[in-house]
């Protein structure tokens, strides 16, 4: 059974930082595209970052230069370091795993497994 369990969400001031973790069981991180999505109230779920099995990472334009995803395959754990947080980063953040498509994307349709989400709230 595949499980993705996020942690590390919470509240932060604008300009601050948070680090999310996602512990994965039931699959090997090195065999899947792994990444993060977010969903704000009243909005569609959107991709934040995805890493292919060759290590290439795609970031959404709004987070480029501020967010960094990494993973420890030995610990089966995925991370999202979020710096220079903005109020508009407020959302539920989801860990995601998918069978890598021919072209790496940030589309929710390419995700096969989701975590339960962790809330990030950024205040001004």
């Amino acid at each position: 059974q595949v499980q993705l369990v996020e942690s590390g969400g919470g509240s932060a001031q604008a300009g601050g930082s948070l680090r999310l973790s996602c512990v994965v069981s039931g699959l090997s991180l090195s065999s899947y595209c792994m990444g993060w999505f977010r969903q704000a109230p009243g909005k569609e779920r959107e991709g934040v970052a995805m890493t292919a099995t060759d290590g290439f990472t795609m970031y959404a334009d709004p987070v480029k230069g501020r967010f960094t995803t990494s993973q420890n395959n030995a610990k089966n754990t995925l991370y999202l370091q979020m710096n220079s947080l903005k109020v508009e980063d407020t959302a539920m953040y989801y860990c995601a795993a998918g069978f890598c498509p021919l072209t790496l994307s940030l589309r929710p349709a390419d995700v096969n497994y989701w975590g339960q989400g962790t809330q990030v709230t950024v205040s001004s």
Side-chain angles (χ1 to χ4, degrees):
Q1 183 179 0
V2 176
Q3 285 190 314
L4 291 74
V5 180
E6 304 95 334
S7 62
S11 299
Q13 293 281 338
S17 299
L18 284 173
R19 189 193 195 206
L20 306 183
S21 298
C22 173
V23 177
V24 181
S25 59
L27 62 82
S28 173
L29 269 63
S30 61
S31 299
Y32 286 78
C33 280
M34 301 297 304
W36 296 91
F37 286 70
R38 67 185 182 185
Q39 189 167 17
K43 295 188 176 182
E44 294 186 352
R45 192 168 296 190
E46 62 177 7
V48 174
M50 284 295 284
T51 299
T53 53
D54 64 0
F56 175 78
T57 299
M58 173 182 290
Y59 290 96
D61 286 344
V63 307
K64 281 181 181 177
R66 301 188 298 120
F67 290 12
T68 303
T69 186
S70 61
Q71 58 192 67
N72 185 324
N73 291 350
K75 293 185 177 180
N76 250 33
T77 303
L78 187 70
Y79 305 98
L80 183 67
Q81 179 67 43
M82 305 185 293
N83 299 329
S84 302
L85 283 164
K86 302 178 180 180
V87 172
E88 50 265 42
D89 294 322
T90 295
M92 185 73 78
Y93 282 72
Y94 297 90
C95 181
F99 304 115
C100 292
L102 289 176
T103 303
L104 187 65
S105 79
L106 294 173
R107 300 187 310 155
D110 287 332
V111 175
N112 299 94
Y113 303 103
W114 295 98
Q116 84 287 350
T118 186
Q119 178 68 37
V120 171
T121 303
V122 184
S123 57
S124 58

